[in-house]
Amino acid sequence: MDLIQLTEQARAAVTELLGAAKLSPGDLFVVGCSSSEVGGEKIGSHSSPEIAKAVLDGILPVLRDADLFLAAQCCEHLNRALIVEEEALRAYRLDRVNVVPQPKAGGSFATAAWAAFSHPAAVERIGCAAAGIDIGQTLIGMHLRPVAVPVRLSVRKIGEAYISCARTRPKFVGGSRAVYDPALL
């Protein structure tokens, strides 16, 4: 597996998604990543810290440059908890849980995020991410705001893992006479 290529694919996907997502500084951006799927294996079967770090190396600098918070989703063994910077925990008034992800209990991507963050913290759920990327069918939807909008990218895979992307938009309220702000669509 070409780790440099994985980093470039991840960087390209997140950069393209940010171009479509209309995010604001300080927004949460959730990433679920199966390093097993990226490596061409069944999810949860071949956790790879090297692959996870390569993907994170493509994503994290782009998010930091955009002043966004990464929320790295853990695997199902930690009930899809998330790893965030402590600053995001405070900004979003999230409840910390006591767990440190490991490659086989939390996933390699969450473990890589834990190592890369200045002050990592684990939270059980967020439900308010403004956008996200799902690498390898890890099911990030539970962490997005209520109205998720699929975003199709020119990048379809990272490594061997298919990706699904979403941005969110405010809910439409009102009836047939309501007028909506096109900048928020």
Side-chain angles (χ1 to χ4, degrees), residues 59-108:
I59 294 172
L60 190 55
V62 175
L63 296 181
R64 284 182 172 161
D65 287 349
D67 196 24
L68 300 171
F69 290 118
L70 170 62
Q73 180 180 270
C74 296
C75 73
E76 67 178 299
H77 295 99
L78 296 185
N79 298 325
R80 305 210 192 291
L82 302 116
I83 305 304
V84 298
E85 284 281 11
E86 194 170 288
E87 184 181 351
L89 177 125
R90 288 192 308 274
Y92 284 87
R93 307 183 106 196
L94 302 170
D95 292 326
R96 183 189 306 254
V97 295
N98 188 3
V99 71
V100 177
Q102 304 298 307
K104 296 279 188 185
S108 287

Side-chain angles (χ1 to χ4, degrees), residues 13 16 45 66 78 80 84 88 117 119 135 137 139 144 158 182:
E16 189 176 343
S45 66
L78 296 185
R80 305 210 192 291
V84 298
F117 287 172
H119 302 285
I135 306 167
Q137 300 177 327
L139 305 175
L144 295 169
I158 295 175

Side-chain angles (χ1 to χ4, degrees), residues 171-180:
K171 293 178 182 180
F172 292 147
V173 296
S176 61
R177 292 181 282 176
V179 176
Y180 302 108

Side-chain angles (χ1 to χ4, degrees), residues 45-56:
S45 66
H46 287 81
S47 192
S48 170
E50 297 79 20
I51 287 174
K53 183 178 182 322
V55 173
L56 182 69

Side-chain angles (χ1 to χ4, degrees), residues 81-166:
L82 302 116
I83 305 304
V84 298
E85 284 281 11
E86 194 170 288
E87 184 181 351
L89 177 125
R90 288 192 308 274
Y92 284 87
R93 307 183 106 196
L94 302 170
D95 292 326
R96 183 189 306 254
V97 295
N98 188 3
V99 71
V100 177
Q102 304 298 307
K104 296 279 188 185
S108 287
F109 186 79
T111 302
W114 183 277
F117 287 172
S118 298
H119 302 285
V123 299
E124 191 171 14
R125 68 180 61 88
I126 54 176
C128 60
I133 184 168
D134 184 322
I135 306 167
Q137 300 177 327
T138 61
L139 305 175
I140 65 167
M142 68 186 87
H143 300 301
L144 295 169
R145 292 178 185 156
V147 185
V149 179
V151 177
R152 302 283 182 252
L153 304 181
S154 62
V155 179
R156 309 287 265 185
K157 293 169 86 176
I158 295 175
E160 296 300 315
Y162 287 100
I163 63 173
S164 297
C165 300

